[in-house]
CSV table of all heavy atoms in Angstrom, one decimal:
chain,number,residue,atom,x,y,z
A,40,LEU,N,4.3,-6.0,-16.3
A,40,LEU,CA,5.4,-6.6,-15.7
A,40,LEU,C,6.5,-5.5,-15.4
A,40,LEU,O,7.1,-5.4,-14.3
A,40,LEU,CB,6.1,-7.7,-16.6
A,40,LEU,CG,5.3,-9.0,-16.7
A,40,LEU,CD1,5.8,-9.8,-17.8
A,40,LEU,CD2,5.3,-9.8,-15.3
A,41,GLU,N,6.5,-4.5,-16.3
A,41,GLU,CA,7.4,-3.4,-16.2
A,41,GLU,C,7.0,-2.5,-15.1
A,41,GLU,O,7.7,-1.9,-14.2
A,41,GLU,CB,7.5,-2.6,-17.5
A,41,GLU,CG,8.3,-3.2,-18.6
A,41,GLU,CD,8.3,-2.5,-19.9
A,41,GLU,OE1,7.8,-1.2,-19.8
A,41,GLU,OE2,8.7,-3.0,-20.8
A,42,TRP,N,5.6,-2.4,-14.9
A,42,TRP,CA,5.1,-1.6,-13.8
A,42,TRP,C,5.4,-2.2,-12.5
A,42,TRP,O,5.8,-1.4,-11.6
A,42,TRP,CB,3.4,-1.4,-13.9
A,42,TRP,CG,2.9,-0.7,-12.8
A,42,TRP,CD1,2.8,0.7,-12.8
A,42,TRP,CD2,2.5,-1.2,-11.6
A,42,TRP,NE1,2.3,1.1,-11.6
A,42,TRP,CE2,2.1,0.0,-10.9
A,42,TRP,CE3,2.3,-2.4,-11.0
A,42,TRP,CZ2,1.5,-0.2,-9.5
A,42,TRP,CZ3,1.9,-2.7,-9.7
A,42,TRP,CH2,1.4,-1.4,-9.0
A,43,ILE,N,5.4,-3.4,-12.4
A,43,ILE,CA,5.6,-4.1,-11.0
A,43,ILE,C,7.1,-3.7,-10.6
A,43,ILE,O,7.3,-3.3,-9.4
A,43,ILE,CB,5.7,-5.7,-11.2
A,43,ILE,CG1,4.2,-6.1,-11.4
A,43,ILE,CG2,6.2,-6.3,-10.0
A,43,ILE,CD1,4.0,-7.6,-11.7
A,44,ASP,N,8.0,-3.7,-11.5
A,44,ASP,CA,9.5,-3.4,-11.1
A,44,ASP,C,9.7,-1.9,-11.0
A,44,ASP,O,10.4,-1.4,-10.2
A,44,ASP,CB,10.4,-4.0,-12.2
A,44,ASP,CG,10.4,-5.6,-12.1
A,44,ASP,OD1,10.0,-6.1,-11.0
A,44,ASP,OD2,10.7,-6.2,-13.2
A,45,GLU,N,9.2,-1.2,-12.0
A,45,GLU,CA,9.5,0.3,-12.1
A,45,GLU,C,8.6,1.2,-11.2
A,45,GLU,O,9.1,2.3,-10.8
A,45,GLU,CB,9.5,0.8,-13.6
A,45,GLU,CG,10.4,0.0,-14.5
A,45,GLU,CD,10.3,0.4,-16.0
A,45,GLU,OE1,9.6,1.4,-16.1
A,45,GLU,OE2,10.9,-0.1,-16.8
A,46,HIS,N,7.4,0.9,-11.0
A,46,HIS,CA,6.5,1.7,-10.3
A,46,HIS,C,6.1,1.0,-9.0
A,46,HIS,O,5.7,1.8,-8.1
A,46,HIS,CB,5.3,2.1,-11.1
A,46,HIS,CG,5.7,2.9,-12.4
A,46,HIS,ND1,6.1,4.2,-12.3
A,46,HIS,CD2,5.6,2.5,-13.7
A,46,HIS,CE1,6.3,4.6,-13.6
A,46,HIS,NE2,6.0,3.6,-14.4
A,47,GLY,N,6.0,-0.2,-9.0
A,47,GLY,CA,5.3,-0.8,-7.9
A,47,GLY,C,6.4,-1.1,-6.7
A,47,GLY,O,6.0,-1.2,-5.5
A,48,ASP,N,7.7,-1.0,-7.0
A,48,ASP,CA,8.8,-1.1,-5.9
A,48,ASP,C,9.0,0.2,-5.3
A,48,ASP,O,10.1,0.8,-5.6
A,48,ASP,CB,9.9,-1.7,-6.5
A,48,ASP,CG,11.1,-2.0,-5.5
A,48,ASP,OD1,10.8,-1.8,-4.2
A,48,ASP,OD2,12.1,-2.3,-5.8
A,49,LEU,N,8.1,0.7,-4.4
A,49,LEU,CA,8.2,2.1,-3.8
A,49,LEU,C,9.3,2.1,-2.9
A,49,LEU,O,9.8,3.3,-2.6
A,49,LEU,CB,6.9,2.5,-3.3
A,49,LEU,CG,5.6,2.6,-4.4
A,49,LEU,CD1,4.4,3.0,-3.6
A,49,LEU,CD2,6.0,3.6,-5.5
A,50,MET,N,9.7,1.1,-2.3
A,50,MET,CA,10.7,1.1,-1.1
A,50,MET,C,12.0,0.9,-1.7
A,50,MET,O,13.0,0.9,-0.8
A,50,MET,CB,10.3,0.3,-0.1
A,50,MET,CG,8.9,0.6,0.7
A,50,MET,SD,8.6,-0.2,2.1
A,50,MET,CE,7.9,-1.7,1.6
A,51,GLY,N,12.2,0.4,-2.9
A,51,GLY,CA,13.5,0.1,-3.4
A,51,GLY,C,14.0,-1.2,-2.9
A,51,GLY,O,15.3,-1.4,-2.9
A,52,ASN,N,13.2,-2.1,-2.4
A,52,ASN,CA,13.7,-3.4,-1.9
A,52,ASN,C,13.3,-4.6,-2.6
A,52,ASN,O,13.4,-5.7,-2.2
A,52,ASN,CB,13.3,-3.6,-0.4
A,52,ASN,CG,11.7,-3.4,-0.2
A,52,ASN,OD1,11.0,-3.4,-1.3
A,52,ASN,ND2,11.1,-3.3,1.0
A,53,GLY,N,12.8,-4.4,-3.8
A,53,GLY,CA,12.4,-5.4,-4.6
A,53,GLY,C,11.0,-6.0,-4.3
A,53,GLY,O,10.6,-7.1,-4.9
A,54,TYR,N,10.2,-5.4,-3.4
A,54,TYR,CA,8.9,-5.8,-3.2
A,54,TYR,C,7.8,-4.9,-3.6
A,54,TYR,O,8.0,-3.7,-3.6
A,54,TYR,CB,8.7,-6.0,-1.6
A,54,TYR,CG,9.6,-7.1,-1.1
A,54,TYR,CD1,10.5,-6.8,0.0
A,54,TYR,CD2,9.5,-8.4,-1.6
A,54,TYR,CE1,11.4,-7.8,0.5
A,54,TYR,CE2,10.2,-9.3,-1.0
A,54,TYR,CZ,11.2,-9.2,0.0
A,54,TYR,OH,11.9,-10.2,0.6
A,55,LEU,N,6.8,-5.4,-4.1
A,55,LEU,CA,5.6,-4.6,-4.5
A,55,LEU,C,4.9,-3.9,-3.3
A,55,LEU,O,4.5,-4.7,-2.4
A,55,LEU,CB,4.7,-5.5,-5.3
A,55,LEU,CG,3.4,-5.0,-6.0
A,55,LEU,CD1,3.7,-3.8,-6.9
A,55,LEU,CD2,2.5,-6.0,-6.7
A,56,SER,N,4.7,-2.7,-3.4
A,56,SER,CA,4.1,-2.0,-2.2
A,56,SER,C,3.3,-0.8,-2.8
A,56,SER,O,3.2,-0.6,-4.0
A,56,SER,CB,5.3,-1.4,-1.3
A,56,SER,OG,6.2,-0.6,-2.0
A,57,TYR,N,2.6,-0.1,-1.9
A,57,TYR,CA,1.7,0.9,-2.4
A,57,TYR,C,1.7,2.1,-1.3
A,57,TYR,O,1.9,1.9,-0.1
A,57,TYR,CB,0.3,0.4,-2.5
A,57,TYR,CG,-0.3,-0.2,-1.3
A,57,TYR,CD1,-0.9,0.5,-0.2
A,57,TYR,CD2,-0.3,-1.6,-1.0
A,57,TYR,CE1,-1.4,0.0,0.9
A,57,TYR,CE2,-0.8,-2.2,0.1
A,57,TYR,CZ,-1.4,-1.4,1.1
A,57,TYR,OH,-1.9,-2.0,2.2
A,58,ARG,N,1.5,3.3,-1.9
A,58,ARG,CA,1.2,4.5,-1.1
A,58,ARG,C,0.4,5.5,-2.0
A,58,ARG,O,0.8,5.7,-3.1
A,58,ARG,CB,2.5,5.2,-0.7
A,58,ARG,CG,2.3,6.5,0.0
A,58,ARG,CD,3.6,7.1,0.3
A,58,ARG,NE,4.6,7.4,-0.7
A,58,ARG,CZ,6.0,7.3,-0.7
A,58,ARG,NH1,6.5,7.1,0.4
A,58,ARG,NH2,6.6,7.4,-1.9
A,59,ARG,N,-0.6,5.9,-1.5
A,59,ARG,CA,-1.5,6.8,-2.5
A,59,ARG,C,-0.8,8.1,-2.7
A,59,ARG,O,-0.2,8.8,-1.9
A,59,ARG,CB,-2.9,6.9,-1.9
A,59,ARG,CG,-3.0,7.8,-0.6
A,59,ARG,CD,-4.4,8.0,0.0
A,59,ARG,NE,-4.5,8.7,1.1
A,59,ARG,CZ,-5.5,9.1,1.8
A,59,ARG,NH1,-6.6,8.8,1.2
A,59,ARG,NH2,-5.6,9.8,2.8
A,60,ARG,N,-1.1,8.6,-3.9
A,60,ARG,CA,-0.5,9.8,-4.4
A,60,ARG,C,-1.7,10.9,-4.2
A,60,ARG,O,-1.3,12.1,-4.1
A,60,ARG,CB,0.0,9.8,-5.8
A,60,ARG,CG,1.2,8.8,-5.9
A,60,ARG,CD,2.1,9.2,-7.1
A,60,ARG,NE,1.5,9.3,-8.3
A,60,ARG,CZ,1.1,8.3,-9.0
A,60,ARG,NH1,1.5,7.0,-8.7
A,60,ARG,NH2,0.6,8.4,-10.2
A,61,ASN,N,-2.9,10.4,-4.4
A,61,ASN,CA,-4.0,11.4,-4.2
A,61,ASN,C,-4.4,11.3,-2.7
A,61,ASN,O,-5.1,10.5,-2.2
A,61,ASN,CB,-5.2,10.8,-5.1
A,61,ASN,CG,-6.4,11.8,-4.9
A,61,ASN,OD1,-6.6,12.4,-3.9
A,61,ASN,ND2,-7.3,11.8,-6.0
A,62,GLU,N,-4.0,12.2,-2.0
A,62,GLU,CA,-4.1,12.3,-0.6
A,62,GLU,C,-5.6,12.7,-0.1
A,62,GLU,O,-5.9,12.4,1.1
A,62,GLU,CB,-3.0,13.3,0.1
A,62,GLU,CG,-1.6,12.8,0.0
A,62,GLU,CD,-1.3,11.6,0.9
A,62,GLU,OE1,-2.1,11.2,1.8
A,62,GLU,OE2,-0.3,10.9,0.6
A,63,GLN,N,-6.3,13.3,-1.0
A,63,GLN,CA,-7.7,13.6,-0.6
A,63,GLN,C,-8.6,12.5,-0.7
A,63,GLN,O,-9.4,12.2,0.2
A,63,GLN,CB,-8.1,14.9,-1.4
A,63,GLN,CG,-7.5,16.1,-1.1
A,63,GLN,CD,-5.9,16.2,-1.4
A,63,GLN,OE1,-5.6,15.8,-2.5
A,63,GLN,NE2,-5.1,16.6,-0.5
A,64,THR,N,-8.7,11.9,-1.9
A,64,THR,CA,-9.8,10.9,-2.2
A,64,THR,C,-9.3,9.5,-2.7
A,64,THR,O,-10.0,8.6,-2.9
A,64,THR,CB,-10.7,11.4,-3.2
A,64,THR,OG1,-10.0,11.7,-4.3
A,64,THR,CG2,-11.4,12.6,-2.7
A,65,GLY,N,-7.9,9.2,-2.7
A,65,GLY,CA,-7.5,8.1,-3.1
A,65,GLY,C,-7.5,7.0,-1.9
A,65,GLY,O,-7.7,7.3,-0.8
A,66,LEU,N,-7.5,5.8,-2.3
A,66,LEU,CA,-7.5,4.7,-1.3
A,66,LEU,C,-6.2,4.6,-0.5
A,66,LEU,O,-5.1,4.5,-1.1
A,66,LEU,CB,-7.9,3.3,-2.0
A,66,LEU,CG,-9.3,3.2,-2.6
A,66,LEU,CD1,-9.3,1.9,-3.5
A,66,LEU,CD2,-10.3,3.1,-1.5
A,67,GLU,N,-6.3,4.4,0.8
A,67,GLU,CA,-5.1,4.2,1.5
A,67,GLU,C,-4.6,2.9,1.5
A,67,GLU,O,-3.4,2.7,1.1
A,67,GLU,CB,-5.4,4.5,3.1
A,67,GLU,CG,-5.6,5.9,3.5
A,67,GLU,CD,-5.8,6.1,5.0
A,67,GLU,OE1,-6.8,5.7,5.5
A,67,GLU,OE2,-4.8,6.5,5.7
A,68,ASN,N,-5.4,1.9,1.6
A,68,ASN,CA,-5.0,0.5,1.2
A,68,ASN,C,-5.3,0.1,-0.1
A,68,ASN,O,-6.5,0.1,-0.5
A,68,ASN,CB,-5.6,-0.4,2.4
A,68,ASN,CG,-4.8,-0.4,3.6
A,68,ASN,OD1,-3.7,-0.5,3.7
A,68,ASN,ND2,-5.6,-0.5,4.7
A,69,GLN,N,-4.4,-0.3,-0.8
A,69,GLN,CA,-4.5,-0.5,-2.3
A,69,GLN,C,-4.4,-2.1,-2.5
A,69,GLN,O,-3.9,-2.5,-3.7
A,69,GLN,CB,-3.6,0.3,-3.1
A,69,GLN,CG,-4.0,1.7,-2.9
A,69,GLN,CD,-3.2,2.7,-3.8
A,69,GLN,OE1,-2.4,2.2,-4.6
A,69,GLN,NE2,-3.5,3.9,-3.9
A,70,CYS,N,-4.5,-2.9,-1.5
A,70,CYS,CA,-4.7,-4.4,-1.7
A,70,CYS,C,-6.2,-4.7,-1.7
A,70,CYS,O,-7.1,-3.8,-1.6
A,70,CYS,CB,-3.9,-5.2,-0.7
A,70,CYS,SG,-4.3,-4.6,1.0
A,71,TRP,N,-6.5,-6.0,-1.8
A,71,TRP,CA,-8.0,-6.4,-1.8
A,71,TRP,C,-8.7,-6.0,-0.4
A,71,TRP,O,-9.9,-5.7,-0.4
A,71,TRP,CB,-8.3,-7.8,-2.2
A,71,TRP,CG,-8.3,-8.9,-1.1
A,71,TRP,CD1,-7.1,-9.7,-0.8
A,71,TRP,CD2,-9.2,-9.1,-0.2
A,71,TRP,NE1,-7.4,-10.4,0.1
A,71,TRP,CE2,-8.8,-10.2,0.6
A,71,TRP,CE3,-10.5,-8.7,0.0
A,71,TRP,CZ2,-9.5,-10.8,1.6
A,71,TRP,CZ3,-11.2,-9.3,1.0
A,71,TRP,CH2,-10.7,-10.3,1.9
A,72,LYS,N,-8.0,-6.0,0.6
A,72,LYS,CA,-8.5,-5.5,1.9
A,72,LYS,C,-8.2,-4.0,2.0
A,72,LYS,O,-7.2,-3.5,2.6
A,72,LYS,CB,-7.8,-6.2,3.1
A,72,LYS,CG,-8.1,-7.7,3.1
A,72,LYS,CD,-7.4,-8.4,4.3
A,72,LYS,CE,-7.7,-9.9,4.4
A,72,LYS,NZ,-6.9,-10.6,5.4
A,73,ASP,N,-9.1,-3.2,1.4
A,73,ASP,CA,-8.9,-1.9,1.1
A,73,ASP,C,-9.5,-0.9,2.1
A,73,ASP,O,-9.5,0.3,1.8
A,73,ASP,CB,-9.2,-1.4,-0.4
A,73,ASP,CG,-10.7,-1.9,-0.7
A,73,ASP,OD1,-11.4,-2.1,0.2
A,73,ASP,OD2,-11.0,-1.6,-1.9
A,74,SER,N,-10.1,-1.3,3.2
A,74,SER,CA,-10.6,-0.4,4.2
A,74,SER,C,-9.4,0.1,5.0
A,74,SER,O,-8.3,-0.5,5.1
A,74,SER,CB,-11.6,-1.1,5.0
A,74,SER,OG,-11.1,-2.3,5.6
A,75,TRP,N,-9.7,1.2,5.7
A,75,TRP,CA,-8.7,2.1,6.2
A,75,TRP,C,-7.8,1.2,7.4
A,75,TRP,O,-6.6,1.5,7.6
A,75,TRP,CB,-9.2,3.4,6.9
A,75,TRP,CG,-10.1,3.2,8.1
A,75,TRP,CD1,-11.4,2.9,8.0
A,75,TRP,CD2,-9.7,3.1,9.3
A,75,TRP,NE1,-11.9,2.7,9.2
A,75,TRP,CE2,-10.8,2.8,10.2
A,75,TRP,CE3,-8.4,3.5,10.0
A,75,TRP,CZ2,-10.8,2.8,11.5
A,75,TRP,CZ3,-8.4,3.2,11.5
A,75,TRP,CH2,-9.6,3.1,12.2
A,76,ASP,N,-8.5,0.4,8.1
A,76,ASP,CA,-8.0,-0.3,9.3
A,76,ASP,C,-7.6,-1.8,8.9
A,76,ASP,O,-7.3,-2.6,9.8
A,76,ASP,CB,-8.9,-0.2,10.5
A,76,ASP,CG,-10.2,-0.9,10.2
A,76,ASP,OD1,-10.5,-1.2,9.1
A,76,ASP,OD2,-10.8,-1.2,11.2
A,77,ALA,N,-7.6,-2.2,7.6
A,77,ALA,CA,-7.4,-3.6,7.3
A,77,ALA,C,-6.2,-4.2,7.5
A,77,ALA,O,-5.8,-5.3,7.8
A,77,ALA,CB,-7.9,-3.9,5.8
A,78,ILE,N,-5.1,-3.3,7.5
A,78,ILE,CA,-3.7,-3.7,7.7
A,78,ILE,C,-3.1,-3.1,8.9
A,78,ILE,O,-3.0,-1.9,9.2
A,78,ILE,CB,-2.8,-3.3,6.5
A,78,ILE,CG1,-3.4,-3.8,5.2
A,78,ILE,CG2,-1.4,-3.9,6.6
A,78,ILE,CD1,-3.6,-5.2,5.0
A,79,SER,N,-2.8,-4.0,9.8
A,79,SER,CA,-2.3,-3.6,11.2
A,79,SER,C,-1.4,-4.5,11.8
A,79,SER,O,-1.3,-5.7,11.4
A,79,SER,CB,-3.6,-3.3,12.1
A,79,SER,OG,-4.2,-4.6,12.5
A,80,TYR,N,-0.7,-4.1,12.9
A,80,TYR,CA,0.2,-5.0,13.6
A,80,TYR,C,-0.7,-5.7,14.5
A,80,TYR,O,-1.8,-5.4,14.8
A,80,TYR,CB,1.1,-4.0,14.5
A,80,TYR,CG,2.3,-3.5,13.8
A,80,TYR,CD1,2.4,-2.3,13.0
A,80,TYR,CD2,3.5,-4.3,13.6
A,80,TYR,CE1,3.4,-1.8,12.4
A,80,TYR,CE2,4.6,-3.8,12.9
A,80,TYR,CZ,4.5,-2.5,12.3
A,80,TYR,OH,5.7,-2.1,11.6
A,81,ARG,N,0.0,-6.8,15.2
A,81,ARG,CA,-0.7,-7.6,16.1
A,81,ARG,C,-1.4,-6.8,17.3
A,81,ARG,O,-2.5,-7.3,17.7
A,81,ARG,CB,0.3,-8.7,16.7
A,81,ARG,CG,-0.2,-9.7,17.6
A,81,ARG,CD,0.8,-10.7,18.0
A,81,ARG,NE,0.2,-11.9,18.8
A,81,ARG,CZ,0.9,-12.9,19.2
A,81,ARG,NH1,2.2,-12.8,19.0
A,81,ARG,NH2,0.3,-13.8,19.8
A,82,ASP,N,-0.8,-5.8,17.7
A,82,ASP,CA,-1.3,-4.9,18.8
A,82,ASP,C,-2.2,-3.9,18.4
A,82,ASP,O,-2.7,-3.1,19.1
A,82,ASP,CB,-0.2,-4.3,19.6
A,82,ASP,CG,0.8,-3.4,18.7
A,82,ASP,OD1,0.3,-3.0,17.7
A,82,ASP,OD2,1.7,-2.9,19.2
A,83,GLY,N,-2.6,-3.8,17.1
A,83,GLY,CA,-3.6,-2.9,16.5
A,83,GLY,C,-2.9,-1.6,15.9
A,83,GLY,O,-3.7,-0.8,15.3
A,84,ARG,N,-1.7,-1.4,16.1
A,84,ARG,CA,-1.1,-0.2,15.6
A,84,ARG,C,-1.2,-0.3,14.0
A,84,ARG,O,-1.1,-1.3,13.5
A,84,ARG,CB,0.4,0.0,15.9
A,84,ARG,CG,0.6,0.3,17.3
A,84,ARG,CD,2.2,0.5,17.7
A,84,ARG,NE,2.8,-0.9,17.5
A,84,ARG,CZ,3.7,-1.2,16.7
A,84,ARG,NH1,4.1,-0.3,15.9
A,84,ARG,NH2,4.3,-2.4,16.7
A,85,LEU,N,-1.4,0.9,13.3
A,85,LEU,CA,-1.3,1.0,12.0
A,85,LEU,C,0.0,1.2,11.4
A,85,LEU,O,0.7,2.1,11.9
A,85,LEU,CB,-2.3,2.0,11.4
A,85,LEU,CG,-3.8,1.8,11.8
A,85,LEU,CD1,-4.6,3.0,11.3
A,85,LEU,CD2,-4.4,0.5,11.2
């Protein structure tokens, strides 16, 4: 629970978010849909 508030709120807006710190081999998407293009806008932009 502490991790959710202290480390998971990367944007400081009270929401759980993610950004990889390992830029070489870490996962870009860190939700269950973890492929690179899984999260996109309606028009396809990432």
Side-chain angles (χ1 to χ4, degrees):
L40 293 163
E41 289 176 9
W42 178 86
I43 293 171
D44 294 332
E45 296 180 10
H46 299 287
D48 182 11
L49 298 180
M50 295 191 278
N52 57 5
Y54 293 122
L55 181 54
S56 55
Y57 58 84
R58 175 180 56 205
R59 66 177 178 176
R60 298 203 308 276
N61 180 336
E62 293 290 342
Q63 285 70 48
T64 55
L66 290 170
E67 284 189 287
N68 277 316
Q69 297 186 356
C70 53
W71 83 260
K72 295 178 180 178
D73 57 5
S74 53
W75 68 275
D76 61 347
I78 308 301
S79 66
Y80 282 92
R81 185 178 189 179
D82 61 9
R84 287 179 295 121
L85 297 179

